[in-house]
Amino acid sequence: MNIIIAGAGEVGFHLAKMLSDENHQITIIDKNEARLNQIAETSDVVPVSGIVTSISTLEKAGVSRCDLFISVSPADEQDVNIVSALLAKQLGAKRVTARINNNEYLKNENRVVFTELGIDLLFYPEKIAAQEILDLLKQSGTSEFMDFSGGRLQLIVLKLTESSSIVNKSMKQVAEENGGDIPFRAVAIAREGNTIIPRKDTVFQIADLIFVITKREAAHAAMVLSGKENVVVHNLMIMGGGRVGEMVAHSMETRIEKVRVVELDSVRCQELTVSLPRSLIINGDARNTDLLLEEDLPKMDAFVAVTSSAEANILSCMAAKRAGVKKTIAQVENLDYIKLAESVGVDATINKKLITASRIFRFTMTGDVPSMKCLNGSDAEVMEFIAKPRSPVTQKKVRDLEFPRDAIIGGITRGNSSLIVRGDTEIKPYDRVVVFSLPSALQTIHKFFI
């Protein structure tokens, strides 16, 4: 696929690296030549120096031959993203996407306006990050969470502790001890920096990060087996009053007893006082542990750190853990710090670059992929395909499909029902199929669904 990325900021940089690894032809545009050269040194891309809203620059980048145009200049350049995407569509790009920072544009009636103008997808990384945090607060026993097909199937990610009843047991043993037909399935294990697609004889170990596909009603049972319990959040402290922190607080302040937002900037605190009338806004440095303790940190059920500093977010979550907070979530934009955060006890991490990549990456898949997510703590992706009539995946039982060994089918939804996949499962046309895959299998998987 011929892909053009407009904007070489952090999101553009990460997308270029990820997409070039998938053997796409990538061109990246930016006026910052030093930044372009840096990307070109680490990824197989064609750098084009110029302004992303310049018609001549777009033509130089080959926009008329472009299959996918991705406009991802920084969040404060929303208008630039929209204009460059509109120009790209008019100049011949088949599909275009644009990064925005205005929640109003995502309302259903307004999305139609942008679709009619020619923009196929608008994405707001901060809003997606806020929604992920809200999901994690709802399913507080998991370090990552994703709904499929309206929640009939769910992905939960659990870290095994000494209290887990499945440690030192194989998948086959766990199934036999729980009646054979358990309503969830482990589809991957992250262990010591490697991702494993588990088989029947794979043995679970302490500190494994287990990726589980489960029916909604069985999520609690899966957590109990892992030694985790769901924490009901009544009191929440948020460190950082930026867009993500504000959106989380706005959603939570009408649902729970107390929401406290700690923000360093006094002007921003005044704005938050107006936009968050039911939250307590605290002007102070959340890196100051004494301040957090004065503001009743030990009484909090959950602590969310979403400042621009990954280091500060991780350290403050560590302090919250020491104070007895049961659920901690840190925004960690430096990918190298994600494993560090997990190793020091942070319960869950949020990364806007991975979130954005998930939304855009499915546009590069030739099959029908309604949802997809790049996962923290793993180098893999989970995606949901729709099985087409006469597609290869519908022709045999799952065990006979010769599905890639670096991928696994976890579950399907059929109408209003959901199924955890077994070897004798037969996939029907229009089933929504949840697949977990390592990068090595991504280019092969879609052939089963076309």
Side-chain angles (χ1 to χ4, degrees), residues 420-433:
I420 299 301
V421 169
R422 311 295 175 199
D424 59 356
T425 301
E426 295 183 16
I427 295 172
K428 305 295 184 183
Y430 306 110
D431 282 352
R432 300 172 79 98
V433 185

Side-chain angles (χ1 to χ4, degrees), residues 287-389:
R287 293 171 296 185
N288 182 344
T289 305
D290 290 337
L291 170 65
L292 299 182
L293 293 173
E294 288 175 7
E295 296 298 338
D296 291 335
L297 177 64
K299 296 181 180 179
M300 297 297 114
D301 301 304
F303 181 86
V304 175
V306 286
T307 73
S308 59
S309 169
E311 295 92 337
N313 293 340
I314 293 170
L315 290 172
S316 63
C317 281
M318 290 173 62
K321 272 295 182 185
R322 286 196 298 270
V325 179
K326 295 177 181 177
K327 180 70 174 183
T328 57
I329 303 171
Q331 179 174 299
V332 181
E333 290 306 307
N334 187 328
L335 295 174
D336 295 331
Y337 286 179
I338 290 177
K339 287 185 173 61
L340 170 64
E342 292 167 351
S343 69
V344 297
V346 178
D347 294 306
T349 58
I350 297 294
N351 183 285
K352 295 199 298 292
K353 291 190 285 290
L354 287 176
I355 292 168
T356 302
S358 299
R359 290 298 173 101
I360 293 173
F361 193 76
R362 68 186 180 88
F363 271 70
T364 70
M365 306 292 287
T366 55
D368 195 349
V369 186
S371 59
M372 181 173 181
K373 185 176 184 181
C374 303
L375 298 166
N376 293 327
S378 165
D379 56 355
E381 285 87 25
V382 61
M383 61 208 84
E384 183 182 35
F385 288 90
I386 297 177
K388 295 181 179 178

